[in-house]
Amino acid sequence: MAICVERSPAMVVGLLAILKAGGAYLPLDPAYPCARLRQVLGDAAPRLLLADAAGRAALGPEALVDVSVVDLETATPAWAELSASDPEPRALGLTARHLAYVIYTSGSTGTPKGVMVEHHSLVNLGLAQLVLFGVCSNSRVVQFASFGFDASAWELVMAFGAGAALHLPADEFRQASNKLSDYLRREAITHATLPPALLQASREPGCLASQVLILAGELPKAELVRSLASASIVNAYGPTEAAVCATVWSCPDDFDGPVVPIGRPIANTRVYLLDGHGGPVPFGAVGELYIGGAGVARGYLNRPELTAERFIASPFVEGDRLYKTGDLARYLPDGNLEFLGRNDDQVKIRGFRIEPGEIAARL
């Protein structure tokens, strides 16, 4: 079921309602360009669309012709006479293998692809967060990411999986680091997941820190991490195809390294650094990062050939599947992973040119 509503409590209620009913949600952020929204809607072809006035305006009347719209502003909504209790999943034949959401990639590495993530992957993510970040019922989690981006799922399950409060800052706070800093302090936010670029643009990045500050979306610079010493800093890495997050690194108090690692796998996740023949590379050598375990997505919607190419059977664990990330990494002496870039046609890393699938010499 597609959902195109403005950033509001109704957005969160809509997402939870779809999940509780055992459905899969397709987020369409009204702030995105109309062409992007129509492209996603046309490719996914959802049966239903939950929309408000902002969503309908963003999509335009032409895009609404071939989909049944559930209008949030209807005087007598379709669900008015339905039971207020949650449906019983077992009675509906639902399992953890049903889809939770389909989120489209940005298209930065080609045509946007709809990634199909199942309920069990989202549950695994939430349970891992409780342990890694100490989220509890007294926590206050900020929902910063656009809900068209998979980091929003990360924020939602972090809060509601622990019974914590979820805070939705207005766009004016999200788009200006100085206003966001004031918002985080005023709302006593304990857990924030923010892009390093936002912090880098701040004159005083340390003032943006909450009790736990998770950096995600891009590799942060070491000097930025050192400037955030007032918080518990975590660097999170993961593609959309591995249910948001695959590895995390917690910054030690005495961190003074030249690079920020992406850390180690979260619970029920396996990572492998492989060469062009599918074999493990030597410790310290560069290899392509493959991810296995509970977070691996079902595949790409309507893209069976690409799914078969990027999601493969694991040769290491029977019954497991691996996602071929296209990212290069190596193990550091302490066992943490260092991210080194994309394994595109040619990638230059610190003076070494690595051909696709080849193993770089130990750096």
Side-chain angles (χ1 to χ4, degrees):
M1 180 175 184
I3 173 171
C4 189
V5 299
E6 64 180 347
R7 183 182 178 80
S8 66
M11 175 196 79
V12 178
V13 172
L15 296 178
L16 289 176
I18 295 170
L19 289 172
K20 281 180 172 290
Y25 69 84
L26 172 72
L28 301 170
D29 189 337
Y32 282 16
C34 178
R36 159 79 178 194
L37 297 177
R38 291 186 179 186
Q39 179 189 40
V40 170
L41 193 65
D43 184 68
R47 296 181 181 179
L48 295 173
L49 168 66
L50 182 65
D52 59 6
R56 294 195 309 275
L59 289 166
E62 298 87 355
L64 305 179
V65 173
D66 297 322
V67 61
S68 297
V69 180
V70 179
D71 195 329
L72 285 179
E73 275 116 23
T74 302
T76 306
W79 58 85
E81 303 301 324
L82 297 179
S83 171
S85 61
D86 295 337
E88 171 53 51
R90 287 172 293 185
L92 297 176
L94 299 172
T95 73
R97 292 290 176 175
H98 279 77
L99 286 183
Y101 61 76
V102 176
I103 285 184
Y104 276 72
T105 61
S106 65
S108 60
T109 58
T111 304
K113 304 173 288 290
V115 180
M116 301 184 288
V117 173
E118 298 174 344
H119 277 261
H120 73 96
S121 297
L122 201 55
V123 170
N124 186 75
L125 177 67
L127 293 176
Q129 291 172 325
L130 299 183
V131 176
L132 289 168
F133 310 135
V135 194
C136 65
S137 59
N138 294 325
S139 299
R140 303 165 73 89
V141 179
V142 66
Q143 203 281 295
F144 177 84
S146 159
F147 86 124
F149 182 46
D150 65 346
S152 62
W154 161 276
E155 293 164 332
L156 290 173
V157 298
M158 184 188 301
F160 295 134
L166 183 72
H167 293 250
L168 278 72
D171 286 341
E172 63 176 299
F173 300 121
R174 295 169 61 238
Q175 295 168 1
S177 57
N178 60 327
K179 291 185 178 182
L180 180 62
S181 173
D182 293 338
Y183 178 88
L184 296 180
R185 283 197 296 267
R186 184 171 66 253
E187 300 298 321
I189 298 299
T190 62
H191 293 76
T193 302
L194 302 173
L198 176 72
L199 301 171
Q200 202 74 50
S202 174
R203 294 180 181 179
E204 298 180 67
C207 70
L208 283 167
S210 56
Q211 289 183 22
V212 178
L213 179 60
I214 303 153
L215 306 177
E218 60 187 337
L219 190 66
K221 295 180 180 179
E223 52 266 31
L224 171 64
V225 171
R226 285 192 288 269
S227 73
L228 299 169
S230 59
S232 296
I233 308 299
V234 176
N235 185 36
Y237 160 84
T240 305
E241 292 87 345
V244 190
C245 180
T247 67
V248 296
W249 173 78
S250 296
C251 180
D253 293 337
D254 58 351
F255 173 69
D256 62 355
V259 296
V260 178
I262 59 173
R264 303 168 187 265
I266 68 170
N268 300 311
T269 300
R270 292 174 281 274
V271 298
Y272 306 91
L273 297 182
L274 307 181
D275 60 24
H277 303 288
V281 302
F283 185 83
V286 176
E288 184 168 352
L289 185 61
Y290 287 68
I291 301 172
V296 176
R298 183 186 294 182
Y300 296 119
L301 182 67
N302 301 327
R303 304 286 292 275
E305 296 84 5
L306 187 60
T307 295
E309 175 188 331
R310 301 296 294 273
F311 296 85
I312 64 174
S314 173
F316 309 108
V317 177
E318 185 177 356
D320 195 19
R321 296 165 65 245
L322 302 181
Y323 170 65
K324 174 182 170 69
T325 68
D327 292 334
L328 297 171
R330 66 166 178 163
Y331 279 107
L332 297 171
D334 63 1
N336 283 301
L337 284 164
E338 178 186 5
F339 176 82
L340 294 170
R342 292 285 301 170
N343 189 17
D344 296 322
D345 292 340
Q346 287 188 329
V347 180
K348 189 174 182 181
I349 300 176
R350 299 185 184 177
F352 289 85
R353 188 165 293 283
I354 303 171
E355 300 299 333
E358 291 186 357
I359 306 174
R362 184 174 179 133
L363 302 182

